[in-house]
């Protein structure tokens, strides 16, 4: 955000790009608005799992969440609070919640809020994190709530993707050479590994291969 104060009826603002290389640079979605005097915003929220799209229930024992709270108002805020929740996406009910304090923030200031402890889903299902910030006199309730992407908690499947190939991952092997690609999965509790499924796709001829073991 670029603040403009104490100007006449006509004003201008410049956007300057500085870099030591040439690349495409675009400017989009420019808007002019008058911020509220008091306004705390949930600026960003971390997904329940940055590494996995599916987690087996026995391994989902220490989930946590993190969110950035930012003062986007004109004035410094007093202390507020943030409600941190784990929500069942099917029933939209909260299965974990904790309210943490948000310290006073100067205009443009931010801080990160986290729960005091990790938490575990009660059963297999689809879950997301949700954060709601509250401060006295907040002038814009539209930015007070933010939720994460969904996380699938399954009965037995560990996965790092959604079966969709996007972009290119270089293996580092040339024509006629062997290449190795792999992933790490953290096993927090004892488990029996019964199978591994790998999905490969050739980005040149768009052929795909599924390997099961």
């Amino acid at each position: 955000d670029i603040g403009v104060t104490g100007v006449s009826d006509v004003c201008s603002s410049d956007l300057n790009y500085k870099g030591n290389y040439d690349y495409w640079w675009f400017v989009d979605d420019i808007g002019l608005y008058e911020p509220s005097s008091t306004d705390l915003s949930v600026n960003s929220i971390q997904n329940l799992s940055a590494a996995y799209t599916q987690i087996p229930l026995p391994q989902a024992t220490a989930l946590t969440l993190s969110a950035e709270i930012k003062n986007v108002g004109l004035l410094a805020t007093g202390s507020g609070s943030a409600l941190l929740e784990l929500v069942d996406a099917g029933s939209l009910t909260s299965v974990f919640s904790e309210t943490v304090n948000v310290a006073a923030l100067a205009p443009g200031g931010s801080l990160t809020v986290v729960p005091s402890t990790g938490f575990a889903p009660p059963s297999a299902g689809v879950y997301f994190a949700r954060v709601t910030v509250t401060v006295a006199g907040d002038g814009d309730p539209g930015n007070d709530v933010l939720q994460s992407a969904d996380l699938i908690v399954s009965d037995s499947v560990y996965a790092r993707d959604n079966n969709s190939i996007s972009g290119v991952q270089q293996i580092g092997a040339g024509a006629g050479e062997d290449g190795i690609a792999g992933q790490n999965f953290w096993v927090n509790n004892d488990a029996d590994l019964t199978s591994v499924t790998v999905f490969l796709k050739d980005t040149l001829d768009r052929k795909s291969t599924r390997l099961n073991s």
Side-chain angles (χ1 to χ4, degrees), residues 90-113:
S91 63
L92 296 181
T93 57
S94 176
V95 298
F96 168 88
S97 65
E98 181 180 349
T99 299
V100 299
N101 292 327
V102 175
L105 288 172
S110 63
L111 55 77
T112 300
V113 292

Side-chain angles (χ1 to χ4, degrees), residues 56-59 155-156 158 186-194:
L57 181 62
Q59 307 302 325
D155 58 352
S156 59
Y158 234 147
W186 288 100
V187 180
N188 301 308
N189 297 298
D190 292 345
D192 294 326
L193 180 62
T194 58

Side-chain angles (χ1 to χ4, degrees), residues 21-51:
Y21 56 89
D22 292 329
Y23 198 71
W24 291 104
W25 194 66
F26 299 94
V27 177
D28 195 8
D29 297 332
I30 296 178
L32 182 65
Y33 71 96
E34 182 178 357
S36 302
S37 297
T38 301
D39 189 9
L40 277 185
S41 167
V42 185
N43 198 46
S44 64
I45 187 171
Q46 177 183 311
N47 291 333
L48 287 168
S49 173

